Amino acid sequence: MGAAIIAGGRLLAAQRGEPPELAGGWEFPGGKVDPGESDQDALVRECHEELGVKIALIDRIGGDWPLALGSGSVLRVWTAELIEGRPEPLEHLALRWLGPDELYDVAWLPGDLPVVEAIRPHLR
């Protein structure tokens, strides 16, 4: 699951620290769903754990975005707004707020990259 957290017309991107093969790549904050947890509850929990913030989910972006060719893993992304707190990189190397003209200034991970253009209309 991934959260496209938007504030002031800018998108929050998070730089991964691990695993080594993904370290340094940029992604939407989020993570995996625990047993018995809904996608939405998992995303709210993961953003609290990774960023120290409380978010509210707004809209789902697209359907299931394939993470790796042939892996069967998918990324589900929701736009979100901050409800409480200021994002801190608790589990990431860095965070960046990207405006519409800066969306490709970071090296997005391959699984997240196709979603970036779908987010652009929400940055107003």
Side-chain angles (χ1 to χ4, degrees):
M1 303 307 108
I5 300 172
I6 299 169
R10 299 183 334 159
L11 172 68
L12 183 67
Q15 188 179 37
R16 287 199 67 138
E18 55 183 62
E21 62 272 13
L22 299 177
W26 292 80
E27 67 178 356
F28 296 101
K32 294 187 178 180
V33 180
D34 288 339
E37 196 174 36
S38 72
D39 290 352
Q40 294 90 335
D41 288 344
L43 195 49
V44 169
R45 174 187 52 75
E46 286 280 346
C47 286
H48 184 265
E49 292 172 3
E50 292 181 4
L51 305 171
V53 297
K54 184 184 238 182
I55 62 166
L57 302 181
I58 301 170
D59 293 315
R60 185 155 172 203
I61 302 297
D64 290 350
W65 301 86
L67 279 175
L69 191 59
S71 74
S73 296
V74 296
L75 174 65
R76 296 182 180 125
V77 178
W78 281 261
T79 57
E81 64 182 350
L82 291 170
I83 299 298
E84 185 179 298
R86 181 174 178 238
E88 299 290 335
L90 304 176
E91 296 186 12
H92 291 91
L93 295 176
L95 302 175
R96 276 189 65 185
W97 288 101
L98 304 170
D101 297 333
E102 303 168 307
L103 290 177
Y104 297 101
D105 287 359
V106 299
W108 289 97
L109 292 171
D112 293 68
L113 185 59
V115 186
V116 175
E117 196 59 35
I119 298 298
R120 187 184 296 276
H122 298 270
L123 302 180
R124 300 186 188 214

